[in-house]
Amino acid sequence: MNYRSLLVHLDSDKHCAARIDLAIRLARQHESHLVGVACTGAIYMPVGSEATVAHAELEALVQDALRDRVEAAAQQFRDACTAANFKAFEVVVDERDKAAALVERAHCSDLVILTQELPMAVRTPMISSMVEQVVMDSARPTLIIPHAGHFDDFSKPALVAWDDSREAARAVYDALPLLRQCEEVQLVTWDEHRPGRHPPSAPMQERLEALRRWLLWHGVTAEARVETTATPIAEAMLSRAADFGSGLIVMGAYGHTRLAERVLGGATRGLLQSMTVPVLMSH
């Protein structure tokens, strides 16, 4: 398995240049085609008896401003690829909702590259960000880059968060091209310490060992371990990643629907909000 096509989100925020540079670097390393997608986002204007010509004119002005913004982001991407002498790229401008456009475009890519969103003033379990929607709805893995820090070395140790779930298995498989270039890989299962709970079961340790062997067959040497934690899983992951000097965390993304809304699991949302290193997630 290799990444033959990468998709990177283009926008006007201050992190876009770093995201483009990282995407070009990965595309060059993996000999991938690189697709930059700039989305205007959907416009929601009042509709009804009160709608007037003025509303239509305002909508046209907003749409033109958004087109100018995404075209500037697209040109930034073209200029960066040209400056890096990287020729295997294309640009797509999409005028739909950002999350919906990225999810659909990802169907023809192997990996989606986004930047962690800045904290919002209002965020509840019932309100999903654009990144959360892409992670949960995309048929492809998503590589999320922290909005703080500089990340350009994917040969550093990698941390794989494992719970023997379908999502975790999908994430490990999707991360193989990155894991093969890491100098070290740790497979870790966390058991939340609660009064009356027994230590991690032998079957889980056996499953970790089976995963370690499977990775070895795919050219990845890994160390497996089970840890007990009294802190939330997301905090335990970040702590272990810091101790291990990790440059990448690989994990399954968890969520379910409630009242037609997407509700993320605690560890998934915790990592998306507090990540300190790039995280590859698959759902």
Side-chain angles (χ1 to χ4, degrees):
M1 175 193 176
N2 202 354
Y3 299 140
R4 307 312 302 170
S5 176
L6 306 182
L7 185 153
V8 60
H9 176 224
L10 308 177
D11 59 18
S12 58
D13 74 28
K14 64 181 182 179
H15 305 292
C16 188
R19 183 166 64 250
I20 291 171
D21 288 344
L22 184 146
I24 292 173
R25 217 163 28 246
L26 282 178
R28 198 188 299 278
Q29 290 172 2
H30 295 275
E31 299 181 343
S32 307
H33 184 74
L34 182 58
V35 181
V37 178
C39 309
T40 61
I43 299 177
Y44 301 99
M45 301 292 289
V47 176
S49 58
E50 73 280 6
T52 64
V53 174
H55 283 91
E57 293 176 347
L58 176 59
E59 182 176 356
L61 288 173
V62 172
Q63 189 69 52
D64 288 344
L66 290 175
R67 287 196 190 100
D68 289 344
R69 183 177 297 180
V70 298
E71 187 52 50
Q75 189 58 48
Q76 179 185 22
F77 176 70
R78 295 186 190 98
D79 292 343
C81 290
T82 300
N85 195 30
F86 184 79
K87 300 179 181 179
F89 74 92
E90 64 179 284
V91 183
V92 176
V93 173
D94 198 308
E95 297 188 3
R96 294 174 296 168
D97 173 78
K98 294 180 181 181
L102 290 169
V103 167
E104 182 180 296
R105 300 277 178 188
H107 290 171
C108 298
S109 294
D110 296 315
L111 180 70
V112 180
I113 302 171
L114 306 177
T115 299
Q116 174 196 22
E117 291 177 309
L118 294 170
M120 294 175 59
V122 178
R123 176 65 60 79
T124 73
M126 298 293 286
I127 300 177
S128 296
S129 72
M130 186 271 286
V131 172
E132 290 174 357
Q133 291 178 58
V134 173
V135 167
M136 298 304 294
D137 294 336
S138 177
R140 305 299 186 211
T142 307
L143 179 65
I144 307 104
I145 312 302
H147 56 68
H150 180 71
F151 307 96
D152 60 2
D153 185 4
F154 283 93
S155 66
K156 291 182 178 179
L159 176 67
V160 175
W162 182 255
D163 62 359
D164 210 23
S165 66
R166 179 188 66 83
E167 291 85 353
R170 169 86 178 269
V172 175
Y173 180 79
D174 289 340
L176 279 175
L178 293 176
L179 294 177
R180 289 192 186 105
Q181 68 186 54
C182 293
E183 56 191 37
E184 292 182 76
V185 176
Q186 275 195 356
L187 313 175
V188 184
T189 290
W190 284 273
D191 181 71
E192 293 183 275
H193 177 72
R194 296 172 188 163
R197 286 198 61 168
H198 297 291
S201 65
M204 178 57 77
Q205 296 174 358
E206 294 172 1
R207 295 298 298 154
L208 268 179
E209 178 60 22
L211 176 64
R212 188 195 66 78
R213 293 195 305 270
W214 177 83
L215 282 171
L216 188 60
W217 298 335
H218 283 274
V220 178
T221 301
E223 173 191 349
R225 58 194 300 164
V226 178
E227 297 187 352
T228 300
T229 179
T231 64
I233 296 297
E235 293 181 21
M237 287 187 200
L238 293 174
S239 177
R240 166 52 60 191
D243 292 343
F244 190 40
S246 298
L248 175 70
I249 295 175
V250 176
M251 65 176 290
Y254 308 99
H256 59 276
T257 56
R258 184 176 69 195
L259 300 177
E261 298 280 353
R262 180 69 75 181
V263 182
L264 270 70
T268 303
R269 175 158 280 170
L271 260 291
L272 287 174
Q273 292 177 345
S274 306
M275 64 175 62
T276 53
V277 298
V279 178
L280 185 144
M281 289 186 173
S282 294
H283 178 69

